[in-house]
Every structure is written in C-alpha cells, then in structure tokens.
Amino acid sequence: MNMLRAPDVPSSSSIQQLVVAAARNNDDRVSQLLSQGVDVDAVDATGGTGLLAASANGNVEIAWRLLQKGADLTHKNLSGQSALDLARELNKSTVVPLLEAASERRKLEA
C-alpha cells in the first residue's frame, strides 16, 4: 500500500534532522527545516531539542533563531538539563547571556 503524506507535515526523520542540524551548527538547514514546518521543540530519542544542541555548542545564531520561533527554554533532556544548564555546564559563555535574557523576558511576559 502506497501511503502519501501531505507535503507540509514533517516526518519523524525531519524532526531528528532539526536536532542534528543544530548539533552540526548548520544554520541553513535549521532555517530550511523550520520553514518546512518542523516543530521548533521537536524532541529526539535523548530528549534533546535544537535549542539544547545549539546551546551545548554555544551557537548563538541558531539558538537565537530557535528562540525567535518560540523554542521552549524550560524543556529538559533525559538527563534533566535545560539549554541554559547545558550552556553553563559546558562553559559556552557566548550563548549563556542570550538564554538568560530570553528566560527573564519570558518570565516578564507570563
């Protein structure tokens, strides 16, 4: 049986691709996947998201793009770490201020 999927419905592999693209610092691919409608908070098998991957790498550009799309700052991976936790633990000083500012901004908006 040949099953067709609507072109605007992301597949589970594209969800994993968002996390992989962020982990590989591939800003163009992250942008492409988001424009295709992949959930900004898509979770991989480890509980990771694009924001977690970008934060672990200290990639400000990708983290900013994901935050602009509404990425969840409070999401934690299977190890119980948020994006900010990972950035701090891995000494990613370039991305920590962005995550802290976004967190504070969202608290004020709530």
Side-chain angles (χ1 to χ4, degrees):
M1 175 186 224
N2 186 8
M3 302 212 26
L4 297 176
R5 193 174 57 235
D8 61 343
V9 176
S11 68
S12 61
S13 66
S14 64
I15 290 170
Q16 292 173 348
Q17 288 178 31
L18 179 63
V19 179
V20 170
R24 292 183 178 167
N25 297 311
N26 190 337
D27 190 37
D28 290 338
R29 183 69 176 139
V30 168
S31 296
Q32 179 186 39
L33 290 164
L34 292 173
S35 72
Q36 291 173 357
V38 171
D39 181 3
V40 70
D41 291 319
V43 178
D44 71 6
T46 67
T49 63
L51 183 59
L52 283 160
S55 300
N57 285 338
N59 190 311
V60 175
E61 291 80 14
I62 291 177
W64 174 254
R65 181 177 312 288
L66 295 168
L67 289 168
Q68 290 295 100
K69 291 285 189 177
D72 183 1
L73 282 159
T74 64
H75 176 80
K76 295 186 178 188
N77 62 18
L78 296 179
S79 298
Q81 300 164 301
S82 69
L84 184 55
D85 295 334
L86 277 174
R88 285 179 175 153
E89 180 181 321
L90 298 171
N91 297 314
K92 301 299 181 178
S93 59
T94 57
V95 77
V96 168
L98 171 67
L99 297 170
E100 288 174 337
S103 180
E104 285 302 313
R105 192 168 37 255
R106 290 193 182 167
K107 284 178 189 174
L108 293 173
E109 292 171 354

